[in-house]
Every structure is written in structure tokens, then in C-alpha cells.
Amino acid sequence: MAKVTLLEAVNMALHHEMAADENVVCLGEDIGTNGGVFRATVGLKDKFGFKRVMDTPLAEGLIGGLTVGMASQGLRPVAEFQFQGFIFPAMEQIICQAARMRSRTRGRITLPLVYRAPFGGFIHAPEHHSESVEALFAHIPGLRVVIPSSPARAYGLLLAAIRSNDPVMFFEPKRIYRTVKHEVQDNGQALPLDVAFILRQGADITLVSWGASVNETLVAAEQLAEQGISAEVIDLATIKPLDIDTILKSVRKTGRLCIVHEAAKSFGVGAEIAAQVAEKALWDLKAPIARVTGYDVTMPYYQNEKYYQIHPEDILLEVKNVMEHSA
Ligand SMILES: Cc1ncc(C[n+]2csc(CCOP(=O)(O)OP(=O)(O)O)c2C)c(N)n1
């Protein structure tokens, strides 16, 4: 079994699915000859040819429109946006066409397409290369939103995304593209697209996170254990549809919830989770729900990134606060 990075796992899944299904095509800026801005598509053009691995002009609106057309005619396009912050010119196609085509045609036309984009901060890039706007897409009916946080989940979830008959936003946390290597079997096994993963069992508090900050959350859980606090860690993985049942089951056991995410705090995915837990499990809570998040500001330039980034100590502090203020 090969040890691969999250980035290599993405590449492996793309290779696997292009070989398995001739309807899968890839497109994006510099994804062919160059292998993509982060090299996620390396080798695809050589193996599958330029008719299935297409370099597009620098025009995200065009990428959005092309994918809608392709998917409506039986292809399964996987488009790469160089950074999540460059998706905005394609929003009209994604929101007004891709997300609602099935509803508009009463189920006659489904759009099996995937929009891949690296996202998140702390690689010393400018602000539109670093933000986390998953909540914008999770708000749109008709879109699935998926964020892997490990090489194995990147492989299994990307396969599932490509095989899904719904449009999927597949956001890749680029800070952890190359930080770890895990064993991933290239066996074509997809992971479920609507299930959160319990990474660590615990009894005192539930920590829910996704993307790169899952790592800080796991480190915090380890440090909390040394101090006698047992934290359950859940990687959301699929943001939409939200696997609230896994969260509720955990919260009913621990009685406490802390949500950790890199995106700005207000109106975010954390707020939605908090609302649903309040609606469905308020009387199981021993303390108010806590959030450790990014700030409600434009992502700062890299000199100031360190003030924005979530560290395990921030989670520790918040969890202790929750523990102290429990009923
Ligand atoms: C809307 C948007 N999409 C993607 C990018 C990322 N990007 C930065 S430079 C670049 C390539 C530009 O190529 P070209 O226009 O040929 O200019 P040159 O290579 O001469 O710099 C891309 C795609 C961007 N800056 N803005």
C-alpha cells in the first residue's frame, strides 16, 4: 500500500476514476500540460489525452458554464479552480444553473459534476488565495459541499463526489496538502458522502471540526486527555448534507459541544450546527455551545496570519471555559 499526501491522494482518485469511467473529464486553468497550480492533476493529460484533460482559458465563468453543458450531455466533468477565492466569476453558473437544474427540469436532467478548489489560509499567500467560504455554498440548495482532512478521506470522498449525480463543491485544505503521508489503498473504494467521521472517542466534550483545523483539534484533544478531559473529535468531512445525527448522538453522550473552524465566525457552518443542536438537544447540554473560529475580517496578509490562525491552545482555553461553566 502506498503512503501518499492528501494532494497525491486527490491525484490518485482522479487517475482511478478517469480510467474506470470514460465519461469523466477534467478541465481547468493549467491543469493539463502543467499539472495544475498545486500539481493535483499531474500525469492525467499524458495518460488520458487532451480531449479528456482540458486546459481552459483564464475564465472561471466559462469553466462554470462548460461543466454545466458537459454534465447535461452525459459527461462527468471535474473542474479545478486554482483557488477557492477565484470561484466567484463562476457563481452565476454554479448557483443559478448547476445547483437547480434537477429541480428546474423536475428530475429529467441531473448534473454530475465536481468543482475542486484548494482553500484555507496559512501558506503565506494573499487574502483571496486564503479564505474559507464553504458556508456560502452550503447555503445553496442543490449543492453538496465536501472537505477532506486526510489523504484517505480525500481519496474516498473524491471518488464518491465524482460518482455522485449531484453537483459537488470539493474543497481541499491546501495547508495540509503535503504535511502528512498516510497509507491509502488505490482500490476504488468510495466513502459515503453524507457521514461525519468520529476520529476519537470521548466522554466529556464533543469537538466538531473540518478541513485543516481537524489537526489542531486532534492535538488539543490529546493535550486535554493529559489534563483529564476526555474529548470526542468529529471530522464533519461532508458539510452539506450535514450529518447532524452523528453530532447529536455524541452531544447527548458528552453534554458539551465546541465547534472549531477556520472560516469567519458569523453566519457560518458552526452557527448552523449550533442552531440544530440547540433545536434538537438543548436539554442534553450541560453548558453553552462554544465556537473557536476565524475572525469576522478579511483574511489578513501573511505578516498577520499568525494572529488569525487557530492554535491548539485556543481550543484548550475554550474547552476549559466550557468545563468550568457547566451545570
Ligand atoms: C480570476 C483569476 N483566476 C486565476 C488566477 C490565478 N492566476 C494567477 S497568474 C495566472 C496565469 C496567468 O497567465 P497569463 O495571463 O498568461 O499571464 P503571465 O503568465 O504572463 O503572468 C493565473 C491563472 C487569478 N489571479 N485570477
Side-chain angles (χ1 to χ4, degrees):
M1 207 189 304
K3 274 196 160 191
V4 295
T5 61
L6 195 156
L7 185 65
E8 288 163 345
V10 166
N11 184 264
M12 213 160 89
L14 292 171
H15 270 277
H16 187 282
E17 223 36 28
M18 289 201 77
D21 183 349
E22 62 180 15
N23 288 320
V24 177
V25 296
C26 289
L27 63 155
E29 294 159 16
D30 283 335
I31 67 148
T33 305
N34 228 355
V37 63
F38 286 98
R39 308 291 176 259
T41 53
V42 158
L44 290 176
K45 187 181 163 199
D46 286 344
K47 193 156 175 198
F48 300 104
F50 67 90
K51 286 188 178 166
R52 291 184 65 199
V53 183
M54 289 162 252
D55 280 314
T56 67
L58 203 173
E60 285 78 6
L62 170 96
I63 295 173
L66 271 178
T67 47
V68 169
M70 287 171 162
S72 73
Q73 300 305 309
L75 295 175
R76 305 185 88 86
V78 183
E80 175 178 293
F81 292 98
Q82 286 202 340
F83 293 88
Q84 193 187 49
F86 295 136
I87 276 186
F88 299 113
M91 290 298 255
E92 198 274 332
Q93 292 296 330
I94 297 173
I95 296 176
C96 303
Q97 314 301 335
R100 59 182 69 179
M101 191 62 81
R102 172 181 291 168
S103 161
R104 178 183 294 151
T105 62
R106 305 295 181 266
R108 278 187 299 111
I109 299 177
T110 57
L111 297 180
L113 54 84
V114 180
Y115 295 119
R116 295 183 36 248
F119 87 115
F122 318 110
I123 61 156
H124 292 200
E127 96 275 15
H128 51 294
H129 296 69
S130 301
E131 56 204 5
S132 299
V133 293
E134 61 271 24
L136 288 182
F137 298 93
H139 192 65
I140 305 301
L143 295 179
R144 289 177 183 266
V145 181
V146 179
I147 298 180
S149 71
S150 75
R153 285 191 286 287
Y155 178 79
L157 291 171
L158 184 52
L159 288 183
I162 299 171
R163 292 172 194 172
S164 166
N165 283 332
D166 298 318
V168 181
M169 311 304 302
F170 193 85
F171 296 138
E172 300 162 10
K174 59 184 175 292
R175 174 159 65 92
I176 55 170
Y177 255 162
R178 296 186 172 96
T179 49
V180 290
K181 281 194 171 203
H182 288 168
E183 287 191 345
V184 181
Q185 222 178 330
D186 191 8
N187 57 6
Q189 202 87 57
L191 287 168
L193 266 192
D194 48 8
V195 168
F197 296 88
I198 300 174
L199 303 186
R200 186 187 171 109
Q201 301 276 346
D204 299 325
I205 186 162
T206 302
L207 305 178
V208 176
S209 191
W210 54 92
S213 46
V214 167
N215 291 283
E216 284 73 46
T217 308
L218 283 168
V219 171
E222 196 65 47
Q223 294 174 359
L224 285 164
E226 286 164 17
Q227 300 176 29
I229 299 169
S230 160
E232 182 141 306
V233 177
I234 297 177
D235 172 16
L236 209 52
T238 298
I239 307 296
K240 175 98 171 279
L242 179 66
D243 179 11
I244 193 66
D245 290 343
T246 295
I247 298 172
L248 287 173
K249 201 167 160 210
S250 176
V251 168
R252 288 191 173 120
K253 179 177 68 168
T254 64
R256 300 177 186 90
L257 173 63
C258 178
I259 303 150
V260 182
H261 65 70
E262 191 177 311
K265 185 171 196 170
S266 301
F267 305 96
V269 177
E272 177 61 26
I273 295 170
Q276 291 202 29
V277 170
E279 282 165 358
K280 293 163 187 159
L282 186 66
W283 308 119
D284 296 297
L285 289 172
K286 298 175 194 155
I289 298 165
R291 282 181 285 167
V292 179
T293 69
Y295 296 94
D296 289 341
V297 297
T298 302
M299 187 74 195
Y301 272 103
Y302 42 83
Q303 294 94 330
N304 289 327
E305 269 189 346
K306 59 179 179 291
Y307 302 115
Y308 185 100
Q309 188 168 3
I310 293 167
H311 300 283
E313 301 78 59
D314 303 317
I315 304 168
L316 237 62
L317 218 64
E318 195 57 44
V319 169
K320 284 187 178 168
N321 190 39
V322 171
M323 298 306 292
E324 276 167 28
H325 292 92
S326 297

